[in-house]
Amino acid sequence: MSRTVRRPEPQRAYTRDDICTAALALVDEEGLEALSMRRLGARLGIEAMSLYHHVRDKADLLDALHAAVLGKLEPEGVKGDAWRPLLGGLARALRSALLRHPNVVPLFVQGSVRAPEAMGVLERVRHVMSDAGFAESDIVNAIHVVGMFTIGHVIFETSNRDKPGRDVTFRFGLEALLDGVARTGTRPAKRTKR
Amino acid sequence: MSRTVRRPEPQRAYTRDDICTAALALVDEEGLEALSMRRLGARLGIEAMSLYHHVRDKADLLDALHAAVLGKLEPEGVKGDAWRPLLGGLARALRSALLRHPNVVPLFVQGSVRAPEAMGVLERVRHVMSDAGFAESDIVNAIHVVGMFTIGHVIFETSNRDKPGRDVTFRFGLEALLDGVARTGTRPAKRTKR
DNA sequence: ACCTGAACACCGTTCAAGT
DNA sequence: ACCTGAACACCGTTCAAGT
């Protein structure tokens, strides 16, 4: 109701990052369907068409948003380089990031996870699991399945907001999946100590 | 390119089911974003505003679509009343239904699964698992997690359409989850033979 | 009861024009 | 280089009017 009115301040050049940050804030506050070029422009004190100088499309803007949420994703509570806490920690970090911006989550439904920001951690997981003796295809499967489950779970826990404390369900499902992953990696480890 | 032109045929009263079927066909053919009241009306040889007589909102239309996909969901390959093939079969049936209408899947992201059409089977699962000695909360968790995973998986396999044959990943994840579910049901069964 | 047409308040995007 | 304004082709939805 008390929609804060922002003064125009048409000052000087915005960066792509600026408009991405503003877009994320807009979506956080008012939801994904509130994000229109016109409203985003208004929030920045700029005309909607000016945005097209920093962003090719609306799709491009959504991609940037996607990356902004996934960016700097760091596994939670990881010590050492055992694959299980690493993959589990990554899933928990992903869940935290998504829960911090629940309105953006639907974006993860359509597009693939091609944000380069998240590729770094994934590479590390791949490496560690490979060292632990997992087959390449099993590694891809594991990352796939854990990621899907995490996104799916966040979607569910944020849409059914009547039932809080979905942490148990998440841990439960995640551990079940990790057990399944562990069962595929029965071959002896390469040379690592554990 | 060869967009088939439909003749108007403004004949007589459409039912809610008619427009729901037409909407589903439209989405199947041209995607979710092609579904507008105006285009749906045109496809039926009717004015857009006439639709509001059978449907309260666009949201209402989407709900009907949701239910149409979920409707008559029957567990796949189920014999007997053991909980595991039942829950697994339900997940596979859900996946099949979603894969039959991949363009509708994003709808499952937002709204909760409150389509009464699907409640029947869920009730049966609940009953069987209860008989098998599962705690009520574990049953809710299990259904929750399996449903989430299935939807998440379909989302993933339909968006990354470069990689076919995601059946393995699905079976893998599903079995892992069912293993996890089984581990929670350690209390003795009530009176059933298995 | 059902359908229509005009109208309102929005969209994304193009394009020629301004500085 | 960056921003603007008008314009185009769309939206969902309301409402008074037709039969």
Side-chain angles (χ1 to χ4, degrees), chain A residues 56-75:
Chain A
R56 205 185 48 247
D57 246 9
K58 187 171 188 191
D60 188 31
L61 175 64
L62 295 179
D63 275 358
L65 222 56
H66 191 155
V69 173
L70 236 48
K72 60 203 169 358
L73 202 66
E74 217 51 61

Side-chain angles (χ1 to χ4, degrees), chain A residues 127-174:
Chain A
H127 183 59
V128 168
M129 289 189 74
S130 179
D131 277 1
F134 283 93
E136 207 55 45
S137 64
D138 286 339
I139 296 176
V140 174
N141 271 0
I143 294 177
H144 225 167
V145 155
V146 168
M148 281 174 329
F149 169 75
T150 304
I151 294 174
H153 193 279
V154 169
I155 285 168
F156 228 92
E157 63 183 319
T158 54
S159 65
N160 299 23
R161 65 192 65 221
D162 43 321
K163 312 180 184 114
R166 297 281 83 190
D167 281 43
V168 251
T169 345
F170 180 69
R171 304 288 160 139
F172 171 80
L174 180 57

Side-chain angles (χ1 to χ4, degrees), chain B residues 81-89 92 128 174-180 182:
Chain B
D81 51 353
W83 70 268
R84 184 159 177 149
L86 180 59
L87 186 51
R92 283 189 292 272
V128 167
L174 180 58
E175 292 306 319
L177 285 178
L178 293 178
D179 285 351

Side-chain angles (χ1 to χ4, degrees), chain B residues 134-156:
Chain B
F134 283 93
E136 207 54 44
S137 64
D138 286 339
I139 295 175
V140 175
N141 272 0
I143 294 177
H144 225 167
V145 155
V146 168
M148 281 174 329
F149 168 75
T150 304
I151 294 173
H153 193 280
V154 169
I155 284 168
F156 229 92

Side-chain angles (χ1 to χ4, degrees), chain B residues 123-187:
Chain B
E123 219 38 67
R124 188 173 153 213
V125 174
R126 240 188 290 269
H127 183 60
V128 167
M129 289 189 74
S130 179
D131 276 2
F134 283 93
E136 207 54 44
S137 64
D138 286 339
I139 295 175
V140 175
N141 272 0
I143 294 177
H144 225 167
V145 155
V146 168
M148 281 174 329
F149 168 75
T150 304
I151 294 173
H153 193 280
V154 169
I155 284 168
F156 229 92
E157 63 184 317
T158 54
S159 66
N160 300 22
R161 65 192 66 222
D162 42 322
K163 312 182 184 108
R166 296 282 83 189
D167 281 42
V168 250
T169 345
F170 180 69
R171 304 287 161 139
F172 171 81
L174 180 58
E175 292 306 319
L177 285 178
L178 293 178
D179 285 351
V181 171
R183 231 168 289 123
T184 70
T186 42
R187 301 182 306 156

Side-chain angles (χ1 to χ4, degrees), chain B:
Chain B
M1 299 314 163
S2 71
R3 179 164 303 179
T4 57
V5 181
R6 286 155 217 283
R7 48 192 130 59
E9 296 194 20
Q11 37 194 102
R12 90 215 68 61
Y14 284 111
T15 80
R16 187 180 215 267
D17 243 50
D18 288 335
I19 82 154
C20 184
T21 307
L24 186 53
L26 177 57
V27 171
D28 280 344
E29 291 171 20
E30 310 193 40
L32 202 55
E33 69 285 349
L35 177 62
S36 76
M37 303 300 271
R38 291 165 139 100
R39 290 187 59 169
L40 178 56
R43 170 185 264 260
L44 286 167
I46 229 175
E47 217 68 15
M49 305 76 203
S50 308
L51 296 171
Y52 284 83
H53 229 267
H54 306 97
V55 145
R56 205 186 48 248
D57 246 10
K58 187 171 187 188
D60 188 32
L61 175 64
L62 295 180
D63 276 358
L65 221 55
H66 191 156
V69 173
L70 237 48
K72 59 200 170 5
L73 202 65
E74 218 49 64
E76 281 180 8
V78 176
K79 39 200 168 194
D81 51 353
W83 70 268
R84 184 159 177 149
L86 180 59
L87 186 51
L90 186 60
R92 283 189 292 272
L94 176 58
R95 175 165 174 259
S96 301
L98 295 180
L99 286 178
R100 233 172 287 129
H101 304 281
N103 292 339
V104 191
V105 176
L107 284 188
F108 286 74
V109 171
Q110 300 276 25
S112 40
V113 191
R114 74 215 171 298
E117 281 81 352
M119 287 308 167
V121 242
L122 286 190
E123 219 38 67
R124 188 173 153 213
V125 174
R126 240 188 290 269
H127 183 60
V128 167
M129 289 189 74
S130 179
D131 276 2
F134 283 93
E136 207 54 44
S137 64
D138 286 339
I139 295 175
V140 175
N141 272 0
I143 294 177
H144 225 167
V145 155
V146 168
M148 281 174 329
F149 168 75
T150 304
I151 294 173
H153 193 280
V154 169
I155 284 168
F156 229 92
E157 63 184 317
T158 54
S159 66
N160 300 22
R161 65 192 66 222
D162 42 322
K163 312 182 184 108
R166 296 282 83 189
D167 281 42
V168 250
T169 345
F170 180 69
R171 304 287 161 139
F172 171 81
L174 180 58
E175 292 306 319
L177 285 178
L178 293 178
D179 285 351
V181 171
R183 231 168 289 123
T184 70
T186 42
R187 301 182 306 156
K190 254 189 202 158
R191 200 161 292 277
T192 336
K193 208 177 246 185
R194 236 211 138 299

